[in-house]
Amino acid sequence: MSVEQRRTDTSVEDAASGAGLADPWRLTQRAFDPARAARDETLFALANGTLGVRGALEEADSASDGTFLSSVFEQNPIHYHERFPGFTRSTDTRVPVAEGKHIRLRLGDAPLRLHEAEWLDFERTLDLAAGALVRRLRLKTAQGQTLEIRARRVVPLAERALLAIRFEVASIDYTGPLTLCSSIETGRQAMEQGDDPRIGVHGGKGLQVAEEQADADGARLTQRTHHSGVALICAQRHRLSPGVVPTAAHAGEGRVEQRFGATLTPGASVVIEKYVAYDDGNGQAADGVDAVLARALRDGFDGIADAHADAMHAFWQRAGLSVDGDPAAELALRFNLFHLLQSAGRDGINGTAAKGITGEGYEGHCFWDTEAFVLPVMAFTAPDVARAMLMYRYRTLDGARETARAMNHPRGALYPWRTIAGRECSAHYPSGSAAYHINAAIAYGIGLYLDASDDLDFLSEAGAEILFETARIWPQAGHFNPRLDGAFCIHEVTGPDEYTTLVNNNWYTNRMAQRHLQRAVDAWRRLSADRPDTLHALAARIGLDDEEVALWERAADAMYLPVDEALGIHPQDDDFLAKPRWPFPKREGAHRPLLLDYHPLTLYRHQVCKQADVVMAMVLAGDGVDLGTKCRDFDYYEAVTTHDSTLSAPVYGILASEVGQDEKAWHYFDASLRVDLDDLHGNTDHGVHMAAMAGSWLGLAQGFGGLRVAGGRLRFAPTLPNAWKGYGFNLRWRGCVLRVDVDARGVRYRLDEGELLAFAHAGSEVVLRPGREVILPLAVPSPPKAVFPRVCHALIFDLDGVLTDTAHTHYRAWKRLADEIGVPFDLQVNERLKGVDRMASLEIILERASRSYSADEKRALADTKNGYYVQEIASVGPQDLFDGVRDVLDAARVAGLKLGLASASRNAPALLQKLGIADCFDYIADAGRIVRAKPDPAIFLDVAAALGVPAHRCIGVEDAAAGIEAIHAAGMAAIGIGDARALRHADAVIPRIADFDLRTFVSN
């Protein structure tokens, strides 16, 4: 299955893609669309790890607007009709806090209502270099007055929770009084889920309000949750331009407001600087609202914005990236990295939620993808943030211990599947609490951070305790299986693929558990050597000894990690390969996850994956696995994966790069690059997709750059996508800053900071010293090929282009139809139809149609084309067989091989009769019964099953790239007929069927 990607019309422009606007540092919107307001509020949100402010307008109201503190949540009970021991009893839900951005306007006695005004000019820009939101709106009021509003906003990294706004109102032709109403407002509640479980579970009550105060100097209020025990203070103060004076203040009913008056004349403007501070009680004395606001008034907006811009400049200097020849991609990558930096937890107290601090999706919960996706990016670009992210896990370690006890583990810690404060918040244990691999993901994050930083203090203060307590779970979840010669097996768990749950020996889980146990053993030995006193105290406190550590090592060494002998792949679990494949037709139109329409049991009964699972293991822990197996894993699991999770595409793209599938690598990278900018999954309204954003950076560095960490050492194998002239990225590693630049001439490595850095490039050792650079050739991935001759019991042929040439016959029939309906069609488009069934071919042709066609109309067009084709083949006979076909078929028969035909043409049986070779085949696929066209492997699997031959004992013969892909996805060896460049992924390519020598390919 392929990634469904549909770029919708958008009012947000990449500044880089506009005519003459080659600035890949600015995301700009030049037309406001109320229907897309929620999405745009997400995209233009600002945050600093603690405070998140969505990008709505100061002078407007929006039902989807919101401001959030990562520490503020409400606790709601989970109601079950049938509740068993260990079931989660409550969930934490992120709730919006007091909204402080509003500055409403009144002209005389008339309030300015934007929906009644005529918008003459609008521009909103997210300045990634400075970390600021900049906006301009020129409008004409209902009364005919023209104003221009200019606003600039920052949420500085240097303060715990401060919003700073510079708001200017200029008169174009208005003369008269202006009132600016600056308020803090409450009353918004957490959004309800509706029918989409990806958004959240609970709405619930808004926060309680108390202690409302407002006067000429400032305003404040206090909020408290109903159940979770969280309280906060929100306060505001202002700096005013000359001529602006306080006129009134009001407090009550969950709202505090200060009003300021001025007189406007044409050409004149007034400015108000607004500072809003929040205190959630988690900071120091200097983080109290009075102290924060005093500093803000002292420094002013420009001072705050300049200091924040300096901090952003320092980040970009060490975490820079570039793309030569694609400024839109460069902007998208930078936009994604910007959101990662600003939403990642950086105080060691609060976590990094799946939607950042930009919305309420997933109720504000943290998942395993924090450590599997986001933390690696921070480890390579902002290691101090990566450390803080891990300290959040240390702070919630007691909650993980409680979860372990609830799951009947007498010792150790099991981190919850989804959480805010450390408690398990998942009510669906098959796809939630059963995902024990979250422990391994956190261990992976710790290991990567330690590799990148060598931070022994972190290991001794926090990392080792997390590793030890979480490692203790694996011997309790698994055992040494005497039926498998003592292999260590893990039972009743769920891997990354949430469409397959409660399985034995999920390969990803077993592999990551093995690495987790090895990390824990290494940490024990490291502390024994370097911090023995610390280790002794920790071991005594948690009751850990050498014998238990030895058990971890023994379990890691004996971990059950099988390879399916028939297919040469890693089985996702003990039963996955025995299930039938997903039988339902491929969906058309906008992407819609299967989980929204099918009962979970329907999904669980089939070979269908929501996201990368085994493929994820190959990316996170694939060292030591040969390239051929990785390639087979990729081919097989790609065919059964729906990519219904945004986590999937970047992982597939990274492995595609490694195994030499360059076109697919680009496709998957592109699918992850603009998940939020183009709202590809239809839920950016509820917040950005942090893991997908991280996946785009990982796709650049790990995919195209070939970045891996193995044995604590950096490795690179850079390649260059055809769509780019070049690219580059910075990387932080053990106090060094490495710059990697790639173009057609090769790879340039330069050490910008640090004393010495050693790493591997395409298998060769490189050592860099300060100020030095080295230029090396690009890596050239060479995908492994099946070995010939090989044991084979059946040959499965395509028809057109392999046994005979009806391509031009199809072309004439399609051309006749296209001309009749007025759709452009030529030989270039016809090339895309090779190996594609009739309906899919029609869809390709109709891409150029001037109107849309209904399903009934499409069926009628397909039938018409088929009628033309039948007329065309009326004169076909044995003389139209390619030279050598009869000899190949006869030789295969003599050798005892079974023969099958896997043609997408429904006319194939009739055509074989006309060609005089129908009796040579043991089975001819019924193309009308195959619901998924090539490159799906369904038709080749159908033929193999009908022949009674295992797929790995078949050889497929095709002339189209889609067919080669389908053969590989079926687990068969593939022989291409035709152009070796077009069929480069085939295991062998011959110019024509007459060159098929059975002895070359079959060894029976």
Side-chain angles (χ1 to χ4, degrees):
M1 301 179 185
S2 62
V3 171
E4 297 285 349
Q5 183 183 6
R6 181 173 63 91
R7 296 193 175 176
T8 58
D9 292 337
T10 173
S11 60
V12 176
E13 304 173 6
D14 297 351
S17 64
L21 296 175
D23 184 358
W25 285 96
R26 300 166 68 86
L27 181 75
T28 298
Q29 179 187 42
R30 293 189 174 87
F32 185 82
D33 181 358
R36 297 182 183 273
R39 182 208 62 173
D40 295 338
E41 289 162 10
T42 293
L43 299 182
F44 290 97
L46 295 177
N48 70 351
T50 300
L51 173 65
V53 181
R54 285 172 64 83
L57 312 186
E58 286 85 354
E59 68 275 19
D61 290 312
S62 170
S64 54
D65 191 16
T67 292
F68 307 95
L69 288 171
S70 54
S71 59
V72 176
F73 63 93
E74 185 58 284
Q75 194 173 81
N76 295 295
I78 297 176
H79 300 286
Y80 303 90
H81 289 295
E82 299 170 332
R83 182 166 65 193
F84 292 91
F87 275 29
T88 305
R89 293 178 178 268
S90 64
T91 185
D92 298 337
T93 302
R94 172 179 288 165
V95 289
V97 298
E99 182 57 70
K101 70 169 67 73
H102 286 308
I103 304 173
R104 294 184 176 84
L105 303 178
R106 299 178 69 90
L107 302 183
D109 294 330
L112 174 63
R113 295 187 174 94
L114 293 187
H115 66 278
E116 296 177 352
E118 179 186 358
W119 291 36
L120 305 175
D121 192 19
F122 175 78
E123 182 174 284
R124 175 165 49 180
T125 296
L126 186 63
D127 184 339
L128 304 176
L133 179 60
V134 183
R135 178 174 61 86
R136 176 174 52 81
L137 169 61
R138 179 171 289 205
L139 56 81
K140 180 174 287 188
T141 70
Q143 293 74 33
Q145 300 119 345
T146 308
L147 301 175
E148 183 163 296
I149 298 168
R150 295 185 283 268
R152 185 174 176 88
R153 183 190 304 175
V154 295
V155 178
L157 297 174
E159 295 288 359
R160 179 168 176 77
L162 173 67
L163 167 63
I165 301 170
R166 187 182 191 277
F167 190 83
E168 180 179 4
V169 182
S171 170
I172 307 303
D173 57 19
Y174 170 68
T175 300
L178 170 72
T179 302
L180 301 101
C181 308
S182 176
S183 63
I184 301 173
E185 302 176 9
T186 66
R188 275 211 62 223
Q189 299 180 5
M191 67 173 60
E192 293 284 357
Q193 166 188 318
D195 295 326
D196 190 340
R198 298 170 296 168
I199 299 171
V201 174
H202 289 279
K205 299 179 181 178
L207 300 177
Q208 302 176 82
V209 181
E211 302 174 21
E212 302 150 309
Q213 302 173 23
D215 56 31
D217 291 330
R220 71 178 59 207
L221 54 75
T222 299
Q223 291 183 292
R224 290 184 176 85
T225 60
H226 293 266
H227 306 293
S228 64
V230 178
L232 68 105
I233 300 171
C234 178
Q236 68 179 29
R237 295 192 68 180
H238 305 82
R239 285 185 18 164
L240 311 173
S241 65
V244 182
V245 296
T247 59
H250 171 77
E253 300 180 348
R255 186 173 188 272
V256 292
E257 179 182 270
Q258 294 171 267
R259 292 194 174 191
F260 305 93
T263 299
L264 278 181
T265 57
S269 66
V270 298
V271 175
I272 180 172
E273 293 182 0
K274 179 173 184 176
Y275 311 108
V276 186
Y278 297 81
D279 184 2
D280 59 3
N282 288 320
Q284 306 299 318
D287 298 316
V289 294
D290 292 327
V292 171
L293 292 175
R295 288 193 295 272
L297 289 171
R298 179 197 68 198
D299 297 338
F301 181 86
D302 287 342
I304 295 168
D306 289 347
H308 182 56
D310 289 344
M312 291 302 304
H313 175 74
F315 169 74
W316 290 119
Q317 192 170 30
R318 293 178 166 183
L321 56 85
S322 60
V323 177
D324 185 7
D326 192 346
E330 182 175 351
L331 174 62
L333 281 164
R334 199 168 281 132
F335 169 83
N336 291 346
L337 185 53
F338 172 79
H339 268 288
L340 292 177
L341 176 72
Q342 70 169 5
S343 272
R346 59 178 54 246
D347 61 2
I349 298 172
N350 296 298
T352 302
K355 290 283 192 173
I357 326 176
T358 61
E360 298 169 69
Y362 297 113
E363 296 181 84
H365 290 162
C366 306
F367 295 79
W368 70 290
D369 42 275
T370 295
E371 284 76 24
F373 289 83
V374 180
L375 189 138
V377 178
M378 293 295 100
F380 289 126
T381 62
D384 54 330
V385 177
R387 191 185 203 275
M389 292 170 66
L390 292 171
M391 289 305 296
Y392 159 75
R393 291 297 191 182
Y394 183 67
R395 188 181 72 84
T396 57
L397 182 57
D398 282 343
R401 291 183 173 113
E402 292 175 11
T403 300
R405 304 302 169 269
M407 301 287 284
N408 306 123
H409 298 299
R411 54 173 29 190
L414 178 61
Y415 278 95
W417 175 241
R418 56 191 302 166
T419 188
I420 293 178
R423 295 179 295 269
E424 176 63 84
C425 294
S426 174
H428 186 60
Y429 75 88
S431 62
S433 301
Y436 276 47
H437 66 84
I438 188 170
N439 268 10
I442 292 170
Y444 168 80
I446 291 172
L448 183 59
Y449 171 71
L450 290 172
D451 286 342
S453 66
D454 196 29
D455 188 347
L456 185 58
D457 288 340
F458 168 76
L459 179 64
S460 60
E461 294 167 9
E465 188 171 354
I466 299 175
L467 287 171
F468 296 161
E469 285 289 82
T470 51
R472 286 178 143 169
I473 296 299
W474 297 119
Q476 300 172 65
H479 77 300
F480 296 94
N481 190 341
R483 290 176 174 267
L484 293 171
D485 297 323
F488 189 81
C489 298
I490 300 174
H491 301 290
E492 297 305 323
V493 295
T494 298
D497 169 28
E498 296 167 35
Y499 290 171
T500 310
T501 67
L502 300 177
V503 301
N504 297 332
N505 295 311
N506 171 255
W507 207 95
Y508 171 89
T509 300
N510 284 21
R511 179 67 161 187
M512 295 298 288
Q514 180 189 51
R515 294 299 172 88
H516 181 178
L517 292 166
Q518 290 168 342
R519 279 284 185 188
V521 172
D522 290 344
W524 176 269
R525 290 172 178 164
R526 176 81 186 273
L527 291 183
S528 295
D530 296 342
R531 299 279 175 92
D533 293 342
T534 300
L535 178 63
H536 178 76
L538 173 59
R541 178 158 55 85
I542 66 175
L544 181 63
D545 56 28
D546 289 308
E547 185 177 343
E548 188 173 357
V549 175
L551 173 64
W552 299 344
E553 187 166 31
R554 188 161 66 92
D557 291 343
M559 190 64 67
Y560 185 56
L561 295 166
V563 174
D564 183 82
E565 292 185 5
L567 296 174
I569 66 172
H570 297 108
Q572 184 166 306
D573 57 64
D574 284 355
D575 298 317
F576 186 85
L577 298 180
K579 296 177 183 179
R581 293 196 179 212
W582 186 249
F584 301 101
K586 180 181 177 182
R587 298 179 178 213
E588 303 298 333
H591 186 91
R592 183 174 172 84
L594 298 179
L595 63 89
L596 299 182
D597 296 312
Y598 292 93
H599 191 283
L601 288 176
T602 304
L603 300 170
Y604 300 164
R605 291 183 182 121
H606 294 93
Q607 284 191 57
V608 59
C609 298
K610 180 183 179 185
Q611 63 205 76
D613 196 296
V614 169
V615 169
M616 184 83 176
M618 294 301 103
V619 171
L620 265 58
D623 50 296
V625 178
D626 68 272
L627 199 59
T629 303
K630 288 181 181 179
C631 191
R632 290 189 293 274
D633 281 340
F634 179 90
D635 288 337
Y636 189 91
Y637 289 106
E638 186 194 30
V640 297
T641 301
T642 63
H643 307 289
D644 284 350
S645 167
T646 58
L647 308 185
S648 191
V651 178
Y652 268 90
I654 292 167
L655 190 61
S657 286
E658 183 177 355
V659 301
Q661 296 269 16
D662 50 340
E663 290 152 350
K664 290 186 177 181
W666 174 258
H667 170 70
Y668 285 118
F669 171 78
D670 194 46
S672 65
L673 180 62
R674 302 179 63 88
V675 165
D676 288 308
L677 283 173
D678 292 336
D679 196 10
L680 296 180
H681 283 244
N683 59 354
T684 297
D685 289 7
H686 311 295
V688 299
H689 296 77
M690 291 284 283
M693 288 179 153
S696 68
W697 189 95
L698 296 172
L700 176 73
Q702 293 186 339
F704 302 140
L707 167 65
R708 296 290 188 278
V709 178
R713 290 175 57 82
L714 284 174
R715 301 186 328 201
F716 297 93
T719 58
L720 181 63
N722 290 330
W724 292 348
K725 297 177 182 177
Y727 64 91
F729 57 90
N730 287 4
L731 199 73
R732 297 178 67 176
W733 183 262
R734 299 200 175 197
C736 297
V737 177
L738 175 68
R739 176 68 183 185
V740 182
D741 285 298
V742 182
D743 60 25
R745 296 168 295 180
V747 186
R748 177 183 288 104
Y749 298 100
R750 186 182 70 243
L751 188 60
D752 289 341
E753 294 182 27
E755 296 302 317
L756 186 76
L757 182 62
F759 57 90
H761 167 88
S764 300
E765 287 297 310
V766 179
V767 177
L768 277 183
R769 289 178 171 78
R772 301 295 298 274
E773 64 179 38
V774 62
I775 300 176
L776 298 169
L778 291 170
V780 182
S782 53
K785 306 290 187 180
V787 177
F788 295 112
R790 60 190 292 112
V791 175
C792 173
H793 299 158
L795 298 177
I796 302 176
F797 296 90
D798 185 23
L799 175 59
D800 188 38
V802 175
L803 305 179
T804 188
D805 184 8
T806 60
H808 204 69
T809 307
H810 280 290
Y811 171 73
R812 288 195 298 270
W814 281 123
K815 178 65 174 171
R816 181 176 172 184
L817 176 71
D819 289 345
E820 288 175 357
I821 62 175
V823 175
F825 181 68
D826 54 27
L827 289 172
Q828 185 175 0
V829 176
N830 190 62
E831 278 296 304
R832 296 175 58 197
L833 310 188
K834 294 186 72 173
V836 179
D837 68 9
R838 188 185 308 162
M839 293 305 298
S841 295
L842 179 62
E843 292 291 349
I844 292 172
I845 292 170
L846 293 180
E847 289 175 1
R848 297 184 173 188
S850 58
R851 72 173 183 89
S852 59
Y853 287 80
S854 68
D856 289 340
E857 287 177 313
K858 290 176 182 178
R859 281 189 290 270
L861 290 174
D863 290 343
T864 299
K865 180 269 174 183
N866 187 55
Y868 295 157
Y869 176 73
V870 171
Q871 295 174 20
E872 291 280 353
I873 64 173
S875 60
V876 169
Q879 71 277 3
D880 294 299
L881 276 175
F882 284 150
D883 291 341
V885 168
R886 177 67 74 171
D887 294 338
V888 170
L889 299 180
D890 290 345
R893 281 293 191 191
V894 171
L897 302 182
K898 293 187 176 181
L899 300 178
L901 190 81
S903 171
S905 173
R906 300 187 185 193
N907 296 297
L911 197 56
L912 290 183
Q913 290 288 351
K914 290 178 172 292
L915 293 169
I917 55 172
D919 58 345
C920 296
F921 289 89
D922 298 287
Y923 180 74
I924 300 169
D926 180 358
R929 195 170 54 82
I930 304 300
V931 297
R932 294 181 179 275
K934 301 170 187 175
D936 191 275
I939 193 167
F940 285 97
L941 292 171
D942 175 74
V943 174
L947 296 177
V949 178
H952 70 289
R953 295 301 186 209
C954 299
I955 295 175
V957 186
E958 263 279 3
D959 75 315
I964 298 298
E965 184 178 338
I967 293 169
H968 280 153
M972 305 175 185
I975 297 174
I977 304 288
D979 184 353
R981 291 170 298 179
L983 303 174
R984 63 187 181 281
H985 295 303
D987 299 303
V989 180
I990 54 179
R992 52 193 176 276
I993 191 68
D995 297 314
F996 189 101
D997 184 345
L998 202 63
R999 293 169 299 179
T1000 301
F1001 300 110
V1002 178
S1003 63
N1004 294 3

